[in-house]
Amino acid sequence: MSLIRNVEGSELRAFLLAEMAHTVALQAAFLQRFGKKNRPTGENQFEFYREKVQDIFDTYADYDGFMDYEVTGEFEADMTDYLATEGENLIASRNFAAAFELGQASYEVLHEIDIDDSNGVMLTILTYITELWEEVMEFATAKDIEPFFIWATQRLNNKEDFFTEDLIAVLTNLGEEKLEFAPRIVKFADEKMQQIEAGGEFAYTFVLWLEIKLKFAANEKEREKVYQKYWDSPNVRNFKADILWEKGKLSEVEKLLQENLVIDQAAPYWLSEWHELLKILYLQMQDIPKYEGELWALLLVHNKGSESIFLEMKNHFGAEKWPAVKEKIYQKLADSNEIEKLFALEADWRLLLDHTKQTGNFELVLRHAEEIKAAFPKELIQIFTEVIRAEAKTADTRPKYQQIAQKLQKLKKITGGIVAASLLKEELLQKYPRRSAMKDELRRV
């Protein structure tokens, strides 16, 4: 502290200006502490936040207003720093309406900017915004929330995009947090469902609005009306199963899930879901024969070759029974490509090698080369050689040549592989003399 006291005012200001130029969190903290008199309020506050977020974007955008993916990580860091610092300050000062507007302004600008989002930073930032809104809801009054509710419903009426689902989830959370909003959210959900049905399309958001109607139904009688009207929807039946489960009515859950198996017999995704729920249900009921039946049904049919189900079976049957159970699984899935993942899980490398020779799919063998090479060096050398030759035949870009070179490096590490790699390298250089990029990459091996 004595060091700061000894610094001249002009030097300290110059230092702060330099630091704030690239530290968004420091800018926000400085504004919160010293800029209150100049900070806009009311309608101007929303525009203030829009301009601030736009400024952060402009820092990393090029002259045409486009942001390359290489700088999106820094953009994400600055945005989350700003949202965290400003949001915390607004919540601490109980300025909840402004905290909502901070998120709203940020949300709008992020939907307008031109960005290469290959790194997925937009989802991270928008998730941060929804979390800010949900945190504010815990403390805000209905009066504070009202402008946000109007904005959110207008936004959902006018535009649907990749992040619509998150905004609907925020409204759902609002209905749970502030019960006075629940009837209005249900009314809005009704309107959206009518719009979708009138358009003759089953929009992906229809199910989300339908779940809101079920969640916030005034009573069980109203909820039952929704069940009856939309019983064809698996989501509706899934919702009812959850409600019955929460109430401990397990026999009714079982009856409903069995009914679902008949209704959705032509829908593989839902058949898998229902069998998964029956598996969990029977385990909870300690009906072990039925639980084991669902394990087998999932592994062999509805979630064929699932690694998680395979491991669950291993844990359930125990060390004594497992060898016989595993052998039965291998026999049942003998003609399936999914079995290769299970061989790898059990480190049954001999079986994996034999199966891949039949299928010609060596991906798993190459992935587990380090574990296989000590026991089966000759087989592994042969597989690497075949794969490299096949890849070289069609390779036409430097990245593909680099992949071939990487495989040659792995081949060298196998017992007897140094000679095999050297001979194969020379073979490729002679066979493809005009591929200069390939020569460059292979000579580095």
Side-chain angles (χ1 to χ4, degrees):
M1 294 301 290
S2 60
L3 179 63
I4 294 174
R5 292 192 191 98
N6 293 332
V7 176
E8 289 188 13
S10 59
E11 283 189 64
L12 190 57
R13 280 193 292 276
F15 173 77
L16 280 171
L17 283 169
E19 286 299 305
M20 283 195 290
H22 56 80
T23 310
V24 175
L26 183 58
Q27 292 175 28
F30 192 87
L31 279 170
Q32 188 68 21
R33 174 64 180 84
F34 298 106
K36 289 181 180 178
K37 292 181 181 178
N38 299 319
R39 289 176 72 84
T41 56
E43 293 180 5
N44 292 332
Q45 192 162 250
F46 185 83
E47 289 305 316
F48 171 80
Y49 290 133
R50 276 188 64 94
E51 290 174 12
K52 183 61 188 173
V53 175
Q54 187 66 52
D55 286 345
I56 297 173
F57 173 79
D58 290 342
T59 302
Y60 298 102
D62 60 22
Y63 289 113
D64 295 322
F66 175 75
M67 185 185 296
D68 190 81
Y69 80 96
E70 291 181 350
V71 295
T72 54
E74 296 165 70
F75 171 63
E76 176 196 339
D78 277 3
M79 273 301 302
T80 52
D81 278 351
Y82 175 62
L83 288 167
T85 305
E86 186 73 1
E88 286 171 12
N89 288 333
L90 290 170
I91 292 171
S93 60
R94 303 191 68 77
N95 194 351
F96 303 127
F100 277 119
E101 289 197 328
L102 167 65
Q104 291 163 225
S106 303
Y107 189 95
E108 288 195 359
V109 173
L110 290 172
H111 280 78
E112 296 165 4
I113 59 178
D114 191 7
I115 180 173
D116 179 350
D117 193 30
S118 302
N119 294 329
V121 302
M122 290 285 281
L123 180 59
T124 303
I125 300 170
L126 286 160
T127 301
Y128 213 92
I129 291 169
T130 59
E131 288 173 353
L132 168 65
W133 284 331
E134 289 173 356
E135 183 180 356
V136 179
M137 282 175 198
E138 294 180 31
F139 310 103
T141 64
K143 184 180 178 182
D144 294 323
I145 296 172
E146 182 65 25
F148 168 76
F149 177 78
I150 293 170
W151 172 86
T153 50
Q154 287 177 344
R155 177 92 193 179
L156 289 166
N157 253 336
N158 297 330
K159 186 175 181 181
E160 285 194 359
D161 51 46
F162 181 68
F163 302 103
T164 294
E165 190 171 342
D166 297 293
L167 197 50
I168 295 173
V170 172
L171 277 186
T172 305
N173 187 67
L174 171 60
E176 293 173 336
E177 193 70 42
K178 307 292 181 184
L179 294 178
E180 60 266 42
F181 281 93
R184 294 171 65 188
I185 294 171
V186 170
K187 185 174 182 292
F188 183 71
D190 267 328
E191 293 168 0
K192 291 297 295 180
M193 289 170 65
Q194 287 169 18
Q195 290 172 17
I196 294 168
E197 288 179 311
E201 294 182 11
F202 195 84
Y204 84 99
T205 56
F206 187 88
V207 170
L208 303 177
W209 298 119
L210 184 53
E211 288 179 354
I212 283 177
K213 277 179 64 69
L214 288 166
K215 183 181 285 289
F216 298 124
N219 50 56
E220 198 56 43
K221 186 177 179 181
E222 288 299 312
R223 187 174 286 125
E224 198 60 42
K225 288 180 182 178
V226 181
Y227 289 148
Q228 290 174 8
K229 184 175 181 180
Y230 298 104
W231 194 244
D232 285 345
S233 168
N235 296 84
V236 169
R237 286 177 269 121
N238 192 31
F239 189 93
K240 184 170 185 178
D242 286 342
I243 295 292
L244 292 171
W245 213 318
E246 287 174 10
K247 292 179 178 179
K249 298 180 178 181
L250 301 187
S251 60
E252 291 185 43
V253 175
E254 181 186 11
K255 182 181 177 182
L256 175 54
L257 293 177
Q258 291 291 353
E259 181 183 344
N260 289 345
L261 292 179
V262 176
I263 296 172
D264 299 315
Q265 56 186 306
Y269 170 81
W270 284 106
L271 279 178
S272 176
E273 286 292 302
W274 304 140
H275 279 288
E276 179 67 31
L277 289 174
L278 279 167
K279 171 179 72 71
I280 296 168
L281 176 69
Y282 290 140
L283 184 60
Q284 184 177 336
M285 295 169 70
Q286 282 298 293
D287 191 331
I288 301 305
K290 286 184 178 179
Y291 166 68
E292 292 178 354
E294 292 302 326
L295 285 172
W296 283 106
L298 284 162
L299 186 70
L300 301 182
V301 181
H302 302 292
N303 195 357
K304 198 170 184 179
S306 164
E307 293 167 272
S308 60
I309 297 295
F310 183 76
L311 292 173
E312 185 175 348
M313 291 178 77
K314 182 176 183 177
N315 181 63
H316 169 70
F317 286 106
E320 187 176 338
K321 293 182 179 179
W322 180 240
V325 172
K326 183 174 74 169
E327 183 60 31
K328 184 179 177 181
I329 293 170
Y330 286 174
Q331 289 173 3
K332 295 285 186 181
L333 295 176
D335 297 328
S336 167
N337 288 337
E338 284 84 358
I339 197 173
E340 293 179 2
K341 298 180 294 182
L342 308 186
F343 289 150
L345 278 177
E346 288 292 287
D348 285 329
W349 306 126
R350 175 76 274 166
L351 294 174
L352 177 61
L353 287 167
D354 290 344
H355 197 272
T356 54
K357 284 175 185 176
Q358 295 173 21
T359 63
N361 179 15
F362 300 113
E363 182 184 347
L364 273 175
V365 172
L366 299 179
R367 193 185 306 170
H368 293 280
E370 284 295 315
E371 300 151 272
I372 299 172
K373 67 182 184 182
F376 305 101
K378 289 182 180 179
E379 288 92 336
L380 208 52
I381 288 172
Q382 183 182 350
I383 287 171
F384 265 102
T385 302
E386 288 179 21
V387 169
I388 291 169
R389 280 178 179 151
E391 289 184 0
K393 190 174 183 179
T394 58
D396 54 4
T397 62
R398 186 174 290 273
K400 290 180 180 178
Y401 299 145
Q402 289 170 346
Q403 290 174 9
I404 291 170
Q406 289 167 7
K407 287 185 175 69
L408 280 170
Q409 291 285 15
K410 291 181 179 179
L411 176 55
K412 286 172 60 179
K413 296 178 181 178
I414 303 168
T415 302
I418 293 177
V419 173
S422 179
L423 291 171
L424 184 55
K425 173 184 166 181
E426 290 305 315
E427 176 189 319
L428 297 178
L429 289 172
Q430 290 177 25
K431 191 171 184 179
Y432 305 105
R434 293 186 176 183
R435 298 185 188 179
S436 55
M438 177 187 276
K439 288 180 182 179
D440 289 343
E441 297 303 327
L442 295 185
R443 282 170 181 161
R444 294 173 184 171
V445 179

